[in-house]
Amino acid sequence: MRSLNEEDLLSSQYIDKKTVQECLESLPTSLIESDCTLMKAIPNYIQPNSPLISRIKGIILKSHFLWSNGISNGCVSVGGSFLDIADISRKIDFTNYELLHIWDKMKLSLSQIQEEYSKRSDNESLFFLSHFDGILDEMKLFAENNSCIAISKEEYDRVHDLIIKLRISVSSNSSHNISELLIEDHTNDAISMLVDVKPEERFLKFQSEYILLANKLVLKQSQYLNSCIKHFSWVVETYSDMIPQAVFKPILEYILIVYTPYFNGELDWDIPYAKKDDFEKGLNIIYSTFQKWGGKNIFWKSYKPRFVNG
């Protein structure tokens, strides 16, 4: 029987499950331990009740790739690998004890990142720390997928809040910060980061990002227009008292004007990546805030929802 390499493991065309299992079980532990990519791939191919599950879990729990952040002896190395443990933990059932072990190792890695961040203040050093964004995203995903771990709510909230705080701080100095994500139309990624912003910082630090988001709605240009209207209307409704009206009132008015022809019968709904029922709901929310701020729009004042089912 030939040996199984990583290309086999990562290929969706390789479907001989029995052969895969035999090859996986024959892999030397030392090979798996030394190869992060292989360790990530194996959980995709383990069969239920396979004895390999216990073996791979043992390797993962002891692995130096688990929450590897590149920090060692006060130095930070860039470009290292770490395990996608959030994804792995969805494919392999870890016991609560094992999840707690992963959680504790995550906390240690997180504290190291926090320490490195607190030591650096100049822009060049902060930019250098932008490579932590990937592992912080992984930490956030793991924490949210495993919130049932037997820890106190206070500890969970403290750790989760720290992950988000560091992720936002790192992103603001990253080559892929929120503004650039929006400009490059990685809009869903940008929105997922904006969701985590603290309410009191939302328009204090990220006003320009929300202007960019609104501009996508005005121009009707994004592969994620539906996400744009959902998030923007949610923010407008939820934080109407915190939004600088002088800046955003004209923007809300223009959004309403731009979409009026699509709801008064003048134009057919032919906007790509946009669902009319979602926009109807979002635009009504935007109008409610616009009206609350003293704005007037005759059409939207009298508009009755019509497209409940799209």
Side-chain angles (χ1 to χ4, degrees):
M1 180 180 67
R2 73 180 182 82
S3 62
L4 186 72
N5 59 33
E6 289 174 28
E7 290 184 1
D8 290 326
L9 282 173
L10 297 174
S11 172
S12 61
Q13 303 301 315
Y14 201 97
I15 59 175
D16 186 344
K17 294 181 179 180
K18 182 178 178 181
T19 302
V20 170
Q21 285 299 296
E22 292 173 352
C23 292
L24 288 176
E25 291 170 8
S26 69
L27 289 174
T29 296
S30 58
L31 174 62
I32 301 174
E33 289 174 337
S34 65
D35 195 319
C36 187
T37 302
L38 190 58
M39 212 179 302
K40 293 176 186 178
I42 288 175
N44 293 298
Y45 298 89
I46 296 179
Q47 294 296 297
N49 303 317
S50 168
L52 188 60
I53 293 177
S54 176
R55 182 179 167 213
I56 192 64
K57 286 204 299 183
I59 293 172
I60 288 170
L61 293 171
K62 295 177 182 178
S63 175
H64 67 277
F65 292 118
L66 181 59
W67 304 123
S68 176
N69 54 29
I71 301 172
S72 179
N73 299 321
C75 298
V76 181
S77 59
V78 179
S81 299
F82 60 86
L83 287 173
D84 301 332
I85 191 63
D87 184 58
I88 292 172
S89 65
R90 287 195 295 265
K91 295 169 181 172
I92 296 179
D93 289 330
F94 288 93
T95 66
N96 195 69
Y97 176 82
E98 291 165 341
L99 288 172
L100 282 171
H101 176 79
I102 296 171
W103 176 268
D104 287 339
K105 289 195 74 170
M106 183 188 75
K107 287 197 301 180
L108 177 60
S109 181
L110 183 64
S111 68
Q112 291 173 333
I113 294 173
Q114 182 183 28
E115 183 179 354
E116 282 299 318
Y117 190 82
S118 65
K119 289 192 305 187
R120 301 167 187 266
S121 58
D122 60 283
N123 289 334
E124 184 176 353
S125 293
L126 290 173
F127 178 81
F128 180 70
L129 295 181
S130 66
H131 82 281
F132 288 134
D133 56 1
I135 193 169
L136 288 169
D137 284 341
E138 189 69 18
M139 289 179 176
K140 178 177 180 290
L141 191 58
F142 175 79
E144 292 174 353
N145 287 349
N146 296 282
S147 58
C148 60
I149 296 175
I151 56 174
S152 66
K153 184 179 184 302
E154 291 74 16
E155 178 180 337
Y156 177 86
D157 289 343
R158 177 178 58 79
V159 173
H160 185 255
D161 289 349
L162 179 57
I163 293 170
I164 291 173
K165 177 183 177 182
L166 287 172
R167 180 64 180 91
I168 292 172
S169 297
V170 166
S171 71
S172 66
N173 298 283
S174 169
S175 61
H176 292 288
N177 59 33
I178 297 176
S179 292
E180 292 194 7
L181 287 171
L182 288 167
I183 291 170
E184 296 168 5
D185 203 26
H186 300 300
T187 303
N188 270 2
D189 292 334
I191 289 173
S192 69
M193 292 169 68
L194 287 170
V195 167
D196 291 328
V197 174
K198 292 181 178 179
E200 62 271 18
E201 296 181 352
R202 192 171 293 277
F203 286 93
L204 183 64
K205 294 185 177 181
F206 297 94
Q207 177 173 300
S208 61
E209 283 78 359
Y210 276 104
I211 292 174
L212 282 172
L213 192 65
N215 192 53
K216 289 180 177 291
L217 291 170
V218 170
L219 296 177
K220 304 186 288 293
Q221 291 181 354
S222 173
Q223 296 183 64
Y224 306 97
L225 275 181
N226 240 52
S227 298
C228 292
I229 192 66
K230 287 181 178 180
H231 181 71
F232 189 76
S233 61
W234 170 75
V235 167
V236 164
E237 180 179 42
T238 307
Y239 301 102
S240 61
D241 294 333
M242 298 182 181
I243 299 173
Q245 293 185 28
V247 176
F248 282 89
K249 185 179 177 182
I251 292 175
L252 299 193
E253 181 175 25
Y254 199 61
I255 290 174
L256 293 170
I257 291 172
V258 165
Y259 287 93
T260 294
Y262 294 97
F263 288 88
N264 67 8
E266 292 181 21
L267 294 175
D268 293 331
W269 188 264
D270 59 354
I271 304 172
Y273 312 109
K275 295 181 179 179
K276 193 168 186 178
D277 56 334
D278 288 335
F279 266 75
E280 179 184 72
K281 180 179 179 180
L283 291 166
N284 272 293
I285 291 171
I286 288 172
Y287 171 71
S288 294
T289 298
F290 179 65
Q291 184 183 46
K292 178 182 176 181
W293 291 349
K296 296 180 180 180
N297 184 295
I298 295 174
F299 174 78
W300 289 102
K301 180 180 180 180
S302 60
Y303 181 79
K304 304 297 182 184
R306 306 169 191 174
F307 300 93
V308 177
N309 297 314

